[in-house]
Amino acid sequence: FFQQTLTAVKNWFTLFGWSNGQNPISIPHSLRRDVCKAQMTSSHEKDFKQNLGKDTKTLHDMLFHLSGQLLPGITSSRSLPLDPVERMLQLHGQHSTLLAFLKSQGAYLPHVLPEFLLEPDDYKRWIKVQTVLKVGDVKNSDIYSNKHLFILEDSTFEKMSKRVWTDLLLQVYKVFVLPCVSSHSVTDLSNLEGVQNMPRIKSEPLSSNIYSPYERTILTWLNKHYEKSRKTVWRDCQKGEVPPMRWIVNFDRDLLDGLVLAALLAAYCPYLIATHFVRMYTNPRTPEQFLHNCLILVSAMHTVGLAIDIKV
């Protein structure tokens, strides 16, 4: 499940996270590496000059594209010191600023420490500095004021790095992309015929500790179109009866059988009903029937050009 989430995040940010078109990313490697346009090390100076020139897109470029804001005190063209320790300290400070900025926008990242966003070698330097130097000998005590020091093995650090970078991008999506979802075009469920008795999804900010108001707007949208379309889409179904009413409250279990997404797609592309959706199981019970439905849904998405890196 986590690998599928990582792949979805990587694909979305590759396609839509940047100005002027696509920019392939890898999690966490390219995000850790491409932090400055003029990043150099003494041993690989020529390589970095060649690979990280002025046209390199950085994490700060992505944030500016999505939010329209620059991180306080940080510019995308800022270079890093050649000294490894000084470079690590500057990067740690930049990551601290990044996390503070995202949290001020509503991101939830209590488990992400700035050092977890560093390259493996820089993380080792950070641990060494923290364990060797005494607080009283440090000129800039703010840098070394962490009360908790997590010393991770190489393999564990890589797993942690991949996880925190994925979580960071998910929170970037939550605070800068989802707020663009408008609730003005979503019809109130209580106005739809036959759904007066269906529980409503509350839009108040504190009504859920899992989903944001924008995510609940999307759930409302899914409920609306499923209930509005299910009797029409599967009126002449070949593999069962009209599917029953359901209350869609999450984005995993309630979408597994493909019926909700098919009803949503049929609401906008009704011509797909006769060619695709009538062949779906309306009460799937086995993994094979679930797969059958999802293959039909993917085929329909390919037909209308909505399949973003979806392979059958």
Side-chain angles (χ1 to χ4, degrees), residues 64-117:
F64 180 73
H65 170 63
L66 294 177
S67 69
Q69 303 180 60
L70 292 172
L71 270 64
I74 298 177
T75 61
S76 60
S77 60
R78 183 180 181 182
S79 61
L80 294 171
L82 292 178
D83 180 77
V85 175
E86 292 181 4
R87 183 179 65 249
M88 176 273 294
L89 294 177
Q90 181 171 312
L91 280 174
H92 189 276
Q94 290 186 17
H95 293 329
S96 298
T97 301
L98 168 65
L99 293 174
F101 171 73
L102 292 177
K103 290 175 183 177
S104 71
Q105 302 298 314
Y108 186 71
L109 295 164
H111 60 297
V112 180
L113 299 178
E115 52 266 32
F116 292 159
L117 302 174

Side-chain angles (χ1 to χ4, degrees), residues 14-211:
T14 291
L15 293 171
F16 307 114
W18 313 86
S19 60
N20 302 322
Q22 302 180 17
N23 180 48
I25 67 170
S26 60
I27 302 174
H29 303 96
S30 68
L31 297 173
R32 296 186 312 203
R33 183 188 67 237
D34 300 342
V35 288
C36 284
K37 293 186 184 296
Q39 180 176 355
M40 294 183 294
T41 63
S42 56
S43 60
H44 300 90
E45 182 172 343
K46 293 183 179 179
D47 294 337
F48 273 102
K49 280 184 176 179
Q50 180 179 0
N51 297 332
L52 292 172
K54 62 182 180 179
D55 295 329
T56 299
K57 295 181 179 180
T58 70
L59 177 67
H60 307 304
D61 295 324
M62 180 191 73
L63 288 174
F64 180 73
H65 170 63
L66 294 177
S67 69
Q69 303 180 60
L70 292 172
L71 270 64
I74 298 177
T75 61
S76 60
S77 60
R78 183 180 181 182
S79 61
L80 294 171
L82 292 178
D83 180 77
V85 175
E86 292 181 4
R87 183 179 65 249
M88 176 273 294
L89 294 177
Q90 181 171 312
L91 280 174
H92 189 276
Q94 290 186 17
H95 293 329
S96 298
T97 301
L98 168 65
L99 293 174
F101 171 73
L102 292 177
K103 290 175 183 177
S104 71
Q105 302 298 314
Y108 186 71
L109 295 164
H111 60 297
V112 180
L113 299 178
E115 52 266 32
F116 292 159
L117 302 174
L118 295 170
E119 289 267 21
D121 289 342
D122 284 334
Y123 172 74
K124 293 177 182 178
R125 294 186 183 101
W126 169 259
I127 294 298
K128 184 177 180 180
V129 169
Q130 290 291 298
T131 53
V132 172
L133 295 179
K134 297 179 181 180
V135 174
D137 297 332
V138 178
K139 296 180 180 179
N140 188 353
S141 60
D142 291 339
I143 297 178
Y144 305 95
S145 62
N146 286 341
K147 296 180 181 180
H148 304 288
L149 182 62
F150 296 94
I151 302 177
L152 306 176
E153 298 293 334
D154 291 350
S155 59
T156 304
F157 175 79
E158 280 299 325
K159 294 177 181 178
M160 175 66 77
S161 181
K162 183 181 296 186
R163 180 59 184 263
V164 297
W165 275 108
T166 302
D167 291 347
L168 186 144
L169 290 181
L170 285 169
Q171 291 298 308
V172 167
Y173 185 89
K174 184 187 79 171
V175 299
F176 295 131
V177 180
L178 278 184
C180 298
V181 176
S182 173
S183 60
H184 297 298
S185 60
V186 179
T187 304
D188 193 326
L189 285 176
S190 61
N191 294 331
L192 294 178
E193 182 180 357
V195 298
Q196 285 82 359
N197 296 327
M198 176 182 289
R200 296 180 60 190
I201 296 176
K202 297 181 180 180
S203 59
E204 291 78 7
L206 299 180
S207 62
S208 172
N209 63 347
I210 300 176
Y211 294 131

Side-chain angles (χ1 to χ4, degrees), residues 224-295:
K224 165 195 169 183
H225 284 295
Y226 175 76
E227 185 55 34
K228 187 177 180 180
S229 303
R230 64 183 177 88
K231 295 180 181 179
T232 303
V233 175
W234 292 286
R235 179 176 51 200
D236 302 317
C237 59
Q238 303 171 3
K239 297 182 182 296
E241 302 176 346
V242 172
M245 178 188 296
R246 67 169 71 173
W247 190 29
I248 305 155
V249 296
N250 58 65
F251 293 102
D252 43 21
R253 292 187 302 275
D254 291 338
L255 304 183
L256 279 177
D257 59 12
L259 295 175
V260 174
L261 293 178
L264 176 66
L265 191 54
Y268 295 93
C269 306
Y271 53 86
L272 293 172
I273 297 175
T275 58
H276 291 78
F277 300 143
V278 294
R279 296 183 285 115
M280 298 178 74
Y281 288 96
T282 56
N283 188 26
R285 297 184 180 277
T286 66
E288 291 78 14
Q289 292 175 344
F290 276 73
L291 177 62
H292 172 88
N293 281 1
C294 291
L295 289 176

